[in-house]
Amino acid sequence: MKHTFTLLGLWIALLVLGASCSQDKGVSGTKSVVVFHSADEAGEDGEPFRSAMEKAFQKKSVKAQLHHIYLNSSHQNATTIDEGLMLPYLDSLQIWKPDIVLVNDDAALNWAFQTQHKDIFKNTPVVFAGINALNEEQVALYKNFTGFEDRIDLQENLRLIQQLTGDLRVMLELDQMPYDQQLYAHLLPQLEDTTRFVVNPHFSPELFARDYVEKNYPGMYVLTFYGAKDPWNNMELNDSTRRLVANFIKSTKSIPHLNIKDDLWNNTLVDNTHLPQFTAIRDGFNNPHHVLYAAGFFTSMQTQVEDQVDYAVQILKGTLPEELPIALHKKGYYLDYNALWKGRTLNWQQMKPGFQVVNMPFKAKYPYFYRFLWLLGFLLIGAISTQLTMVYLQRRNKASMQYIHALESEASLRAQYLYETNSSVWRGVEGMIEVPLEFAEQIKAPKIFPAEQLLANIHPDSKEDYIDLMNYTNGLGEKRKRIRLTFDEGQTWHWYDVIYNVTAHAIQAHMLSGLFINVDEDVEHQEQLKKALEQAREIAVKERLLENVTQDLEAPMHQVEHLCKKLTEEPELTAAETHELNTKIRNEVNTLLDVIDSVVQTTKQV
């Protein structure tokens, strides 16, 4: 019996030991994680991304100290990143001693292959995510690299655009840079079916015309690829190129655009169209500060973070990167409700069940409850006002607001044009402002001049805004200042909107860039709007006066009518009763006269 209990105890101990050995190894202590982002902190890549990654590690029961580095690659190339942005981080990386490095999106990964600071990536496990065009030859050189691809599904996005807009013509921006050619090679196999796709790489004008396409290529997708030879070395536009760009925008502004890479030139064109645009990648989507894209079929930020953290945790638990195969992200349909109202309305309701909709307002998210509240409010208002007065006010207000809306729409359309001769891009570095040569000649100033020099050309009422612009380090985010300038010693004054985006890198590098946009016509339209609003208010005052007069006259008039009727229809009245009725009639008539006198006095004041 004694031996039986001994054997039973040994058997239980072996079971407990086996169960503990079969469990995954945990991650002990705090792990240092460095995260490289291709973009800046605007939109989803900022706080939403950081918060999602922190929660993903917590969900995996891993205590991670996260350090985020934003490369702002749409405004910089690999050389400027190395020489400027990364230098302050080198000492920090020595202190952080990362246990794992996470790289997000193509620009950051391609920079990792080119950078002179390759030590960051050589001896540390690296997990990349959100990669649209993976350079497999480069990845093969690094056994410590693994991660997730986000291969662009071009055909699914084209089908989506057709269903939402009914258009088969699509614009795609690709420059003649190495990465662009690599991306094009990834997309080309999806376009081999010549019975479905027409590729327009030479800007054939007839392929921009919808009637021509529908007649000659019925049911086929027409894809136009456009771009620049070397955008980083061709920042300034000469006269002929400017005309070419202007004509290009004019002929293509009604064509849907599909974003396939995060690019400053690409975003500029999308910004200057009146149509909702589309994206096959998550970059630029759901940016509350800069709404660009309405919808697309791509990998969400949440999916990208969860996939990347999953691989990172497995590596921190002891799995070698080379044991984790390069996998594919899961995609989905996403729609930004804010972008729907940029131009014409999309037929998105028919696809609503298949979409993840972001930024949806209360009235769209709960339409029936919103309609109930609206109906309830309408009934309450209707109980206070008579139906005749409501119809009258609605007609008058509708006429006034249509005029105001027309002016607002015209002002909005004018604001879409970026390529005005008296507008310009600018860049500020270390207290100096740089503008293109053409704009400098127009304002009779050197191409590069001290920021203080511009202060002499600024109207006194705008100097406070200009000083605030110079102190841009006070806060992050996109900003806009309206400044009044003169370039002919005060003979004529012009209004300019100065638009710029303050990032942490801009503050650190003392470098800022943005746009000068002439808004003289906008200011003129605002004055017209102001006058229209004043006219609308005067109409409203007179309408309220008419309504009040009607109510004030109605009661005494009814009373006089009642008394007169009583006086004429009751012949047996005594003299005293007749005298009393006459007295009441005179009192009511005096009341009517007082009301009429009050109306006359009020009318003189209106």
Side-chain angles (χ1 to χ4, degrees):
M1 190 73 172
K2 181 178 180 181
H3 294 294
T4 302
F5 282 113
T6 302
L7 290 173
L8 181 61
L10 289 173
W11 182 73
I12 293 173
L14 288 173
L15 283 177
V16 173
L17 181 62
S20 63
C21 290
S22 64
Q23 293 177 351
D24 290 338
K25 292 186 291 182
V27 179
S28 59
T30 301
K31 298 300 179 181
S32 177
V33 181
V34 173
V35 187
F36 285 94
H37 299 262
S38 295
D40 55 22
E41 298 180 66
E44 284 191 340
D45 278 288
E47 177 56 30
F49 194 105
R50 295 193 294 268
S51 177
M53 182 162 283
E54 185 177 347
K55 291 177 182 178
F57 274 108
Q58 291 174 354
K59 189 176 180 180
K60 296 284 187 178
S61 301
V62 174
K63 190 174 181 181
Q65 188 174 14
L66 300 172
H67 310 282
H68 295 267
I69 299 177
Y70 292 87
L71 302 182
N72 193 17
S73 59
S74 63
H75 294 82
Q76 300 187 89
N77 54 26
T79 302
T80 56
I81 292 174
D82 277 352
E83 295 177 352
L85 185 142
M86 283 307 298
L87 291 179
Y89 281 109
L90 296 180
D91 292 337
S92 298
L93 287 165
Q94 293 294 327
I95 298 172
W96 293 338
K97 296 180 180 178
D99 296 292
I100 195 166
V101 173
L102 308 183
V103 178
N104 285 279
D105 306 320
D106 295 77
L109 183 62
N110 289 330
W111 167 76
F113 295 142
Q114 302 173 44
T115 180
Q116 59 185 352
H117 309 298
K118 286 188 171 63
D119 293 341
I120 303 171
F121 307 100
K122 280 186 176 179
N123 303 316
T124 307
V126 175
V127 178
F128 53 80
I131 305 303
N132 305 125
L134 184 65
N135 191 328
E136 297 176 356
E137 295 180 359
Q138 287 281 4
V139 172
L141 301 177
Y142 295 84
K143 289 187 177 182
N144 59 321
F145 275 53
T146 188
F148 289 83
E149 285 188 80
D150 183 19
R151 294 178 187 171
I152 293 175
D153 192 330
L154 192 57
Q155 297 188 22
E156 190 64 21
N157 277 282
L158 294 176
R159 185 194 66 80
L160 174 69
I161 294 172
Q162 179 191 7
Q163 223 170 339
L164 292 179
T165 68
D167 208 328
L168 295 172
R169 304 164 302 157
V170 178
M171 304 291 299
L172 303 99
E173 192 263 346
L174 278 178
D175 300 323
Q176 297 182 17
M177 305 292 284
Y179 170 71
D180 300 78
Q181 299 304 312
Q182 179 181 321
L183 180 58
Y184 185 69
H186 279 70
L187 298 176
L188 202 57
Q190 301 183 45
L191 306 175
E192 291 179 347
D193 187 353
T194 56
T195 64
R196 295 181 61 205
F197 304 104
V198 177
V199 179
N200 179 25
H202 302 297
F203 293 80
S204 299
E206 64 270 11
L207 293 179
F208 295 150
R210 189 165 186 167
D211 293 341
Y212 178 87
V213 171
E214 291 177 351
K215 179 180 179 181
N216 294 277
Y217 303 101
M220 298 177 67
Y221 294 101
V222 176
L223 282 73
T224 298
F225 288 88
Y226 68 94
K229 288 185 177 180
D230 189 357
W232 283 104
N233 293 323
N234 293 281
M235 298 292 287
E236 294 190 8
L237 302 176
N238 55 36
D239 290 341
S240 60
T241 307
R242 188 181 295 277
R243 285 193 296 271
L244 177 64
V245 171
N247 291 332
F248 174 67
I249 291 177
K250 182 179 179 180
S251 59
T252 62
K253 64 182 181 180
S254 62
I255 300 176
H257 183 102
L258 178 62
N259 179 39
I260 53 177
K261 69 187 182 77
D262 189 32
D263 184 280
L264 183 63
W265 311 96
N266 169 80
N267 295 345
T268 298
L269 184 66
V270 172
D271 258 341
N272 286 276
T273 181
H274 62 279
L275 295 177
Q277 301 299 332
F278 304 88
T279 180
I281 60 177
R282 71 168 191 86
D283 304 76
F285 182 78
N286 189 19
N287 185 342
H289 305 294
H290 195 193
V291 178
L292 286 176
Y293 303 107
F297 181 73
F298 55 88
T299 298
S300 69
M301 179 269 290
Q302 189 67 36
T303 299
Q304 180 173 328
V305 168
E306 290 175 356
D307 287 346
Q308 192 175 38
V309 170
D310 178 62
Y311 263 26
V313 170
Q314 291 187 56
I315 292 172
L316 291 173
K317 287 182 177 181
T319 303
L320 296 176
E322 58 195 75
E323 296 176 1
L324 296 173
I326 296 174
L328 294 176
H329 288 303
K330 183 180 178 181
K331 296 179 179 294
Y333 299 98
Y334 297 92
L335 183 140
D336 186 350
Y337 196 90
N338 288 338
L340 292 178
W341 316 117
K342 187 176 181 181
R344 79 180 174 211
T345 304
L346 301 177
N347 302 319
W348 67 280
Q349 286 85 352
Q350 63 181 350
M351 298 188 68
K352 185 177 178 181
F355 274 109
Q356 297 276 345
V357 184
V358 300
N359 302 319
M360 180 178 285
F362 177 83
K363 68 178 181 179
K365 196 171 186 179
Y366 305 102
Y368 296 109
F369 188 54
Y370 175 80
R371 290 171 186 170
F372 169 76
L373 293 177
W374 184 88
L375 180 60
L376 181 62
F378 177 78
L379 292 175
L380 290 174
I381 295 173
I384 298 171
S385 305
T386 65
Q387 184 177 4
L388 182 59
T389 305
M390 283 294 297
V391 171
Y392 177 76
L393 292 175
Q394 284 178 352
R395 287 180 178 176
R396 294 298 299 270
N397 288 337
K398 184 177 180 181
S400 301
M401 294 311 296
Q402 280 179 341
Y403 175 64
I404 295 172
H405 180 70
L407 288 173
E408 288 177 331
S409 298
E410 184 179 350
S412 175
L413 287 173
R414 290 176 182 274
Q416 299 297 327
Y417 292 98
L418 174 63
Y419 295 96
E420 296 287 346
T421 57
N422 52 359
S423 299
S424 174
V425 296
W426 60 272
R427 180 168 59 183
V429 181
E430 298 290 348
M432 303 296 290
I433 295 179
E434 180 181 357
V435 297
L437 181 60
E438 180 180 332
F439 187 71
E441 291 175 348
Q442 181 184 342
I443 65 174
K444 299 178 181 179
K447 183 178 178 181
I448 301 176
F449 54 88
E452 291 79 4
Q453 180 177 329
L454 192 60
L455 193 60
N457 296 45
I458 293 178
H459 194 276
D461 294 342
S462 298
K463 287 188 177 180
E464 185 176 343
D465 286 328
Y466 183 70
I467 293 172
D468 189 28
L469 167 60
M470 291 296 97
N471 297 328
Y472 63 88
T473 57
N474 293 336
L476 300 178
E478 184 172 296
K479 299 183 180 181
R480 180 188 293 261
K481 297 291 181 183
R482 180 158 290 184
I483 295 176
R484 200 175 183 189
L485 293 169
T486 181
F487 302 112
D488 53 11
E489 299 181 353
Q491 295 182 21
T492 56
W493 291 91
H494 302 281
W495 287 99
Y496 282 86
D497 272 359
V498 185
I499 305 172
Y500 56 101
N501 186 29
V502 181
T503 64
H505 170 63
I507 295 175
Q508 186 177 26
H510 300 286
M511 181 177 67
L512 196 65
S513 61
L515 298 172
F516 281 127
I517 298 182
N518 184 278
V519 291
D520 287 342
E521 293 188 4
D522 287 352
V523 174
E524 182 181 345
H525 278 276
Q526 288 173 6
E527 290 298 324
Q528 294 180 17
L529 286 173
K530 183 178 178 181
K531 292 179 181 178
L533 287 172
E534 290 175 355
Q535 293 175 1
R537 292 192 189 99
E538 291 177 1
I539 292 172
V541 169
K542 292 179 180 179
E543 289 168 350
R544 285 196 298 271
L545 175 61
L546 178 61
E547 182 182 1
N548 293 335
V549 168
T550 301
Q551 293 176 353
D552 291 342
L553 292 175
E554 193 174 90
M557 287 181 67
H558 283 310
Q559 187 65 15
V560 168
E561 180 186 8
H562 171 71
L563 293 172
C564 290
K565 186 177 181 181
K566 187 174 182 180
L567 185 64
T568 57
E569 293 181 355
E570 297 183 14
E572 298 180 357
L573 293 173
T574 64
E577 291 173 335
T578 302
H579 181 268
E580 182 183 356
L581 287 175
N582 285 329
T583 301
K584 289 181 178 180
I585 290 173
R586 281 196 300 272
N587 291 339
E588 294 298 335
V589 169
N590 288 334
T591 301
L592 282 171
L593 290 174
D594 290 341
V595 171
I596 293 171
D597 183 62
S598 176
V599 170
V600 171
Q601 296 301 323
T602 304
T603 304
K604 291 179 180 179
Q605 298 174 5
V606 175

